[in-house]
Amino acid sequence: MSGNRAVAYLKPGAVEVRTIDYPTLELQDGPGVASENVGRKCRHGVILRVLASNICGSDQHMVRGRTTAPEGLVLGHEITGEVVERGPDVETIDVGDIVSVPFNIACGRCRNCKERKTGICLNVNPARPGAAYGYVDMGGWVGGQAEFAMIPYADFNLLKFPDRDQAREKLLDLTMLSDIFPTGFHGVVSSGAGVGSTVYVAGAGPVGLAAAASAHLLGAAVVIVGDLNAERLAQARSFGCETVDVSRGDVGEQIAQILGEPEVDAAVDAVGFEARGHGPDAQEAPATVLNSLMGLTRAGGALGIPGLYVTDDPGGIDEDAKSGTLKVRLGLGWAKSHRFTTGQCPVMQYHRGLMMAILHERVHIAKAVNATVIGIEDAPRGYAEFDQGASRKYVLNPHGVLDGLQPV
């Protein structure tokens, strides 16, 4: 095959669908590819026919021009697909398998991978620990918002679904395993939440909604979601969450109206560096969520921080913000003996267990995040509507496999 339709970053505020080369088991030069990775042979890799690839809030940061992403970077790190070719060194994955792809690329050989810290693999990105598909400064691995994609280290990275027919039926739920479901779950686990906990999730985008659903799965007594988007707050209420509208002022007071006290046991930051201050007409203030959560979390509690923070933000509000230097009230967190967990979710710590929860009807994650299927040619519209605050998780359908599927 010669062509491959894919979604590429064009300029701030714009993506386009273009034809790129069909993938091979060798990393080619292209936008964002680390020079040291060009020509890297992947005999351990596979080629996937992409069955579903999701638009992520992390992609949106790039598309807004809030990173140093180059023009032409092929987007997409949330990939579910069918194996159509496997490299000569692949042993446990076969052609025809339907698989979930963790967004973090891991070699399975380095110290961090052997310690299950697959979000910071030492061998896949020459610039820094950790890599991802279709993301700026993450090694230049070509993104999966495309018809076909190459996945390295297949035996280690891929989660094979046990039954093809069942996987097809539940594909809208299973496609969330590549990123947002494990990421939301990781945020809740690292916040220390469990049976009987009160949990506050800042942000009602897809990751925040996934975190809220995860808190329910883990047995939380009360899950409160905060945002300033009425549609997204309504989506959180649709599956049993309490909500607070941060545009209406003090969050602690609103939490007290729900719980009888202004603090929670555990808190999750699902917003990240493009946070805004609380109250009406609040302006961007990138440390707002972190500082707010330290105030709202009980002494001895913890903060899970799956929301993205970057080292380079060209659109930052000041010189500190442009380098990811934020004015965080660490003294408050220290005084309350808080624990903080940041960084990429190590997807492989969670994805098999979450797959089983989906397959056995313990969670309906596609319904929680309002999964919405669109064609790959409609990706620019999906990005635009998502940027305008649509309470939907857009799922690209490059081969029509998702036709007729609805969240249940």
Side-chain angles (χ1 to χ4, degrees):
M1 298 184 66
S2 58
N4 181 18
R5 297 291 281 167
V7 182
Y9 170 67
L10 185 61
K11 60 182 180 180
V15 301
E16 69 175 11
V17 181
R18 56 175 60 170
T19 299
I20 63 171
D21 291 338
Y22 186 83
T24 66
L25 296 175
E26 179 177 321
L27 196 55
Q28 306 295 322
D29 196 7
V33 178
S35 59
E36 300 93 329
N37 265 350
V38 175
R40 185 170 182 159
K41 292 179 169 40
C42 297
R43 293 168 56 89
H44 43 65
V46 299
I47 307 298
L48 294 186
R49 183 170 77 110
V50 177
L51 304 183
S53 184
N54 316 327
I55 295 175
C56 180
S58 298
D59 299 321
Q60 200 67 269
H61 292 307
M62 288 188 290
V63 174
R64 290 189 187 117
R66 298 299 295 268
T67 72
T68 55
E71 187 274 332
L73 181 74
V74 175
L75 302 167
H77 56 270
E78 300 189 14
I79 309 166
T80 306
E82 179 182 16
V83 178
V84 295
E85 178 184 343
R86 72 176 196 169
D89 291 347
V90 177
E91 297 183 354
T92 62
I93 299 294
D94 295 319
V95 171
D97 286 343
I98 298 179
V99 296
S100 176
V101 183
F103 77 90
N104 23 45
I105 304 168
C107 71
R109 296 153 166 81
C110 70
R111 173 181 175 176
N112 284 348
C113 284
K114 289 178 179 180
E115 293 177 357
R116 302 184 75 201
K117 301 172 183 174
T118 53
I120 44 174
C121 173
L122 300 173
N123 289 331
V124 287
N125 182 358
R128 66 180 73 176
Y133 304 92
Y135 211 86
V136 61
D137 296 331
M138 297 299 283
W141 300 88
V142 179
Q145 288 177 14
E147 293 176 307
F148 298 91
M150 191 273 283
I151 309 301
Y153 302 104
D155 285 321
F156 184 66
N157 281 302
L158 296 181
L159 175 68
K160 180 169 68 173
F161 300 135
D163 183 279
R164 281 175 51 87
D165 292 337
Q166 187 184 32
R168 293 273 188 138
E169 291 174 3
K170 294 187 176 294
L171 203 55
L172 265 187
D173 290 286
L174 294 171
T175 190
M176 305 305 163
L177 291 171
S178 57
D179 182 357
I180 67 161
F181 193 12
T183 293
F185 192 85
H186 177 62
V188 177
V189 168
S190 57
S191 77
V195 174
S197 297
T198 57
V199 182
Y200 177 65
V201 179
V207 170
L209 295 172
S214 298
H216 284 147
L217 185 63
L218 288 165
V222 183
V223 181
I224 305 170
V225 179
D227 205 297
L228 47 73
N229 181 311
E231 183 182 350
R232 291 180 172 182
L233 291 174
Q235 181 63 26
R237 289 192 295 272
S238 75
F239 60 97
C241 299
E242 302 286 344
T243 60
V244 298
D245 184 340
V246 301
S247 71
R248 294 184 178 178
D250 190 273
V251 175
E253 291 180 1
Q254 295 184 67
I255 287 176
Q257 292 174 7
I258 298 168
L259 299 178
E261 58 182 354
E263 289 188 330
V264 294
D265 298 322
V268 179
D269 173 3
V271 178
F273 73 104
E274 288 193 65
R276 293 186 175 274
H278 297 161
D281 303 318
Q283 301 301 305
E284 187 169 307
T288 294
V289 172
L290 294 174
N291 290 330
S292 172
L293 294 190
M294 284 186 278
L296 298 170
T297 304
R298 68 174 180 85
L303 279 63
I305 310 172
L308 176 66
Y309 289 87
V310 296
T311 56
D312 293 291
D313 175 11
I317 60 171
D318 54 35
E319 290 306 311
D320 282 341
K322 289 178 181 178
S323 64
T325 304
L326 309 183
K327 296 177 181 178
V328 176
R329 291 189 65 194
L330 188 59
L332 176 59
W334 189 94
K336 296 178 78 171
S337 294
H338 284 157
R339 302 182 309 280
F340 302 81
T341 301
T342 67
Q344 286 188 45
C345 164
V347 170
M348 275 188 273
Q349 287 191 25
Y350 307 109
H351 66 173
R352 185 187 180 278
L354 295 177
M355 174 191 74
M356 295 298 288
I358 289 170
L359 295 179
H360 291 278
E361 304 285 346
R362 295 303 304 275
V363 65
H364 300 276
I365 190 65
K367 186 174 182 180
V369 302
N370 196 17
T372 303
V373 177
I374 59 174
I376 193 168
E377 300 294 337
D378 291 325
R381 173 177 64 83
Y383 270 96
E385 291 179 359
F386 189 30
D387 190 48
Q388 292 162 9
S391 185
R392 298 187 182 101
K393 177 66 173 176
Y394 286 101
V395 181
L396 303 184
N397 183 25
H399 294 281
V401 174
L402 301 171
D403 289 351
L405 289 184
Q406 297 290 332
V408 293

Short mmCIF file of all heavy atoms in Angstrom, two decimals, residues 31 64 67 78 109 115 117 124 141 153 237 252 290-291 367:
data_model
loop_
_atom_site.label_atom_id
_atom_site.label_comp_id
_atom_site.label_asym_id
_atom_site.label_seq_id
_atom_site.Cartn_x
_atom_site.Cartn_y
_atom_site.Cartn_z
N PRO A 31 8.32 15.46 10.48
CA PRO A 31 8.10 16.51 11.47
C PRO A 31 8.16 15.98 12.90
O PRO A 31 7.42 15.05 13.25
CB PRO A 31 6.71 17.04 11.14
CG PRO A 31 6.51 16.71 9.69
CD PRO A 31 7.21 15.42 9.49
N ARG A 64 -3.71 24.28 20.02
CA ARG A 64 -3.89 25.68 20.43
C ARG A 64 -2.61 26.50 20.28
O ARG A 64 -2.61 27.70 20.52
CB ARG A 64 -4.35 25.74 21.88
CG ARG A 64 -5.76 25.25 22.12
CD ARG A 64 -6.18 25.57 23.55
NE ARG A 64 -7.47 24.96 23.87
CZ ARG A 64 -7.67 24.04 24.81
NH1 ARG A 64 -6.65 23.60 25.52
NH2 ARG A 64 -8.87 23.55 25.03
N THR A 67 2.43 24.61 22.66
CA THR A 67 3.67 23.84 22.74
C THR A 67 4.54 24.24 21.55
O THR A 67 4.16 25.09 20.74
CB THR A 67 3.41 22.32 22.68
OG1 THR A 67 3.00 21.96 21.35
CG2 THR A 67 2.34 21.88 23.68
N GLU A 78 -3.83 7.89 21.20
CA GLU A 78 -4.83 6.95 21.72
C GLU A 78 -5.26 6.04 20.58
O GLU A 78 -6.09 6.41 19.74
CB GLU A 78 -6.01 7.72 22.30
CG GLU A 78 -5.61 8.65 23.44
CD GLU A 78 -6.80 9.27 24.17
OE1 GLU A 78 -7.94 8.77 23.97
OE2 GLU A 78 -6.60 10.22 24.93
N ARG A 109 12.98 -3.17 28.34
CA ARG A 109 14.32 -3.66 28.59
C ARG A 109 15.09 -2.82 29.62
O ARG A 109 16.01 -3.32 30.27
CB ARG A 109 15.12 -3.68 27.29
CG ARG A 109 14.56 -4.64 26.24
CD ARG A 109 14.93 -4.15 24.84
NE ARG A 109 14.72 -5.13 23.80
CZ ARG A 109 13.58 -5.41 23.23
NH1 ARG A 109 12.48 -4.77 23.62
NH2 ARG A 109 13.48 -6.31 22.28
N GLU A 115 10.90 -1.82 36.24
CA GLU A 115 10.27 -1.41 37.48
C GLU A 115 8.82 -0.95 37.26
O GLU A 115 8.22 -0.35 38.14
CB GLU A 115 11.08 -0.28 38.14
CG GLU A 115 12.44 -0.74 38.62
CD GLU A 115 13.29 0.39 39.20
OE1 GLU A 115 12.84 1.55 39.19
OE2 GLU A 115 14.40 0.10 39.68
N LYS A 117 7.72 1.39 35.38
CA LYS A 117 7.61 2.83 35.18
C LYS A 117 7.67 3.12 33.68
O LYS A 117 8.56 3.80 33.17
CB LYS A 117 8.73 3.56 35.92
CG LYS A 117 8.73 3.30 37.42
CD LYS A 117 9.97 3.87 38.09
CE LYS A 117 10.00 3.55 39.58
NZ LYS A 117 11.29 3.97 40.21
N VAL A 124 13.55 5.10 24.36
CA VAL A 124 12.70 5.38 23.20
C VAL A 124 12.70 6.85 22.78
O VAL A 124 12.13 7.18 21.74
CB VAL A 124 11.25 4.91 23.47
CG1 VAL A 124 11.17 3.39 23.41
CG2 VAL A 124 10.73 5.42 24.80
N TRP A 141 7.76 9.59 17.31
CA TRP A 141 7.03 8.41 16.82
C TRP A 141 5.72 8.88 16.18
O TRP A 141 4.96 9.63 16.78
CB TRP A 141 6.77 7.45 17.96
CG TRP A 141 8.04 6.96 18.60
CD1 TRP A 141 8.71 7.56 19.62
CD2 TRP A 141 8.80 5.81 18.23
NE1 TRP A 141 9.84 6.85 19.92
CE2 TRP A 141 9.93 5.77 19.09
CE3 TRP A 141 8.64 4.81 17.27
CZ2 TRP A 141 10.89 4.77 19.01
CZ3 TRP A 141 9.60 3.81 17.19
CH2 TRP A 141 10.70 3.79 18.04
N TYR A 153 8.13 -2.50 19.73
CA TYR A 153 8.16 -3.35 20.93
C TYR A 153 6.80 -3.97 21.20
O TYR A 153 6.25 -3.90 22.32
CB TYR A 153 8.63 -2.53 22.14
CG TYR A 153 9.99 -1.91 21.95
CD1 TYR A 153 10.12 -0.54 21.67
CD2 TYR A 153 11.16 -2.68 22.00
CE1 TYR A 153 11.37 0.04 21.48
CE2 TYR A 153 12.41 -2.11 21.81
CZ TYR A 153 12.51 -0.75 21.55
OH TYR A 153 13.75 -0.18 21.35
N ARG A 237 -22.85 14.75 36.21
CA ARG A 237 -24.03 14.39 37.00
C ARG A 237 -24.77 13.21 36.40
O ARG A 237 -25.46 12.47 37.12
CB ARG A 237 -24.98 15.60 37.12
CG ARG A 237 -24.44 16.71 38.03
CD ARG A 237 -25.52 17.74 38.35
NE ARG A 237 -25.96 18.47 37.15
CZ ARG A 237 -25.40 19.58 36.69
NH1 ARG A 237 -24.34 20.10 37.32
NH2 ARG A 237 -25.87 20.19 35.61
N GLY A 252 -14.40 25.59 48.21
CA GLY A 252 -14.55 24.99 49.53
C GLY A 252 -15.94 25.18 50.09
O GLY A 252 -16.53 24.26 50.68
N LEU A 290 -3.63 23.44 41.33
CA LEU A 290 -2.74 22.84 42.32
C LEU A 290 -2.90 23.52 43.68
O LEU A 290 -3.01 22.86 44.72
CB LEU A 290 -1.29 22.95 41.85
CG LEU A 290 -0.92 22.13 40.61
CD1 LEU A 290 0.50 22.45 40.18
CD2 LEU A 290 -1.07 20.64 40.88
N ASN A 291 -2.92 24.84 43.70
CA ASN A 291 -3.06 25.56 44.96
C ASN A 291 -4.43 25.34 45.59
O ASN A 291 -4.57 25.20 46.81
CB ASN A 291 -2.78 27.04 44.74
CG ASN A 291 -1.32 27.32 44.44
OD1 ASN A 291 -0.45 26.60 44.90
ND2 ASN A 291 -1.06 28.36 43.65
N LYS A 367 -19.79 5.66 27.95
CA LYS A 367 -20.96 6.45 28.31
C LYS A 367 -20.59 7.58 29.25
O LYS A 367 -21.07 8.72 29.12
CB LYS A 367 -22.01 5.55 28.95
CG LYS A 367 -23.33 6.25 29.21
CD LYS A 367 -24.38 5.26 29.72
CE LYS A 367 -25.72 5.94 29.94
NZ LYS A 367 -26.75 4.98 30.43
#
